Structure formats: structure tokens, C-alpha cells
Amino acid sequence: ALHSRQHSAADAAFTAALDQAAALENPHALVWAANTASAARDFGAGLPYAARAVDLARKQGLLSLLPMALHRYGQELVWNSQFDAAYAAAQEGYQLSVDLGHGGGGHLANLAAVEAVWGRETDAREHAERALAIGRQTNFNLLADSAEFTLAFIELTAGRVDAATDRLL
């Protein structure tokens, strides 16, 4: 419906899906609900779903799913300007990803976004560049695009609007 420009129908479908998601006990489905809420409503609207996904993944002992839930949670926290909590989620998620043999690139991008806000440009750039490298090495375009966006955000927070624009274009 969304891609057919039937916006009212798409909104109704999103609302129905998110209403159903409120009762879910499946952390993987809740991560997708968080994605949907932020895409359909506003960046950061998925925070309640992502928080519940993290909580359930912990309670259910789903260590292989926890890094994914923490990534979404960290992203939602960034979008809600809850930077200390976002950074903690990204640190935990990154360490778990490394321990489990995953790349952790999304967590690096979240770390970089928070570091950019905090004015820690060197750390932010290092983390974003590592995320970009992981995205390119694994052909994970969503991660590579996220890292590119984060690098543009770093330029913007440093007051280099032209460099940010060039990076985004």
C-alpha cells in the first residue's frame, strides 16, 4: 500500500501491525516492530518495542539475538537523544557481537553517532570508518549506508556543512 501511494491504507496497516506487536513475546518480531514504528511514524517511535525486545531477549536467554535487539534499542535511544543509554547499549551490543563472532558494525555506527554529539570527533570517525569497512567487506549495504550517514553527521556536528553535504550526496 505504501509503495502504491495508498497512504491511508498503509497507515491503517502499520497501526494494526503495531497494535498487535504490543502483545508479542518474541524479541525478534519486536525488533521488526521497532523498525516499523520508526519508519512509519517518526524516528525514535520504535523505542518501546526495542526496549521490550532487549528485555525479552535477556529473560529468554537469547544471546544470539541480544546484539540485534541492542542495536535497534541503541538506534532508537540515539533518535530520542538519550545518549548515555544509547552509548551503553552500543558498547554492550558491540562486545557481545565480537564475542559471538559477528562484526558489530551497527553498534560501531551508534557509538560514532553519540561520540559526534559529544564532540569526540576522532573516536566517532574511527568507529564510523570501521562500520563502513565492515559494511563494504560483507556487502551489507544498509550498514555501509548507515556508516556513510554517520560520517556525514560527524562533519555536520563539526560545523563542516559542505563536507557533510558532499558525503550525503
Side-chain angles (χ1 to χ4, degrees), residues 15-59:
T15 298
L18 292 171
D19 286 347
Q20 291 177 19
L24 293 175
E25 295 292 322
N26 179 325
H28 190 260
L30 285 164
V31 168
W32 281 103
N35 289 343
T36 299
S38 286
R41 300 290 177 252
D42 196 8
F43 290 133
L47 183 57
Y49 303 101
R52 191 147 179 262
V54 169
D55 184 54
L56 287 171
R58 288 186 200 286
K59 286 179 179 175

Side-chain angles (χ1 to χ4, degrees), residues 3-81:
H3 295 293
S4 299
R5 297 186 181 168
Q6 299 171 9
H7 299 289
S8 295
D11 186 58
F14 284 133
T15 298
L18 292 171
D19 286 347
Q20 291 177 19
L24 293 175
E25 295 292 322
N26 179 325
H28 190 260
L30 285 164
V31 168
W32 281 103
N35 289 343
T36 299
S38 286
R41 300 290 177 252
D42 196 8
F43 290 133
L47 183 57
Y49 303 101
R52 191 147 179 262
V54 169
D55 184 54
L56 287 171
R58 288 186 200 286
K59 286 179 179 175
Q60 295 173 10
L62 300 174
L63 290 180
S64 63
L65 181 64
L66 187 55
M68 181 173 61
L70 283 165
H71 172 256
R72 183 82 244 158
Y73 181 54
Q75 185 67 71
E76 298 291 335
L77 288 165
V78 166
W79 288 335
N80 280 281
S81 300

Side-chain angles (χ1 to χ4, degrees), residues 128-153:
E129 292 286 356
R130 285 174 47 204
L132 180 60
I134 291 168
R136 287 182 176 162
Q137 289 167 353
T138 60
N139 292 318
F140 186 15
N141 292 332
L142 183 61
L143 174 58
D145 290 347
S146 175
E148 288 282 6
F149 178 83
T150 303
L151 287 162
F153 181 66

Side-chain angles (χ1 to χ4, degrees), residues 92-110:
E92 180 185 2
Y94 179 73
Q95 189 58 56
L96 279 171
S97 293
V98 169
D99 291 348
L100 293 170
H102 305 296
H107 298 290
L108 292 169
N110 284 347

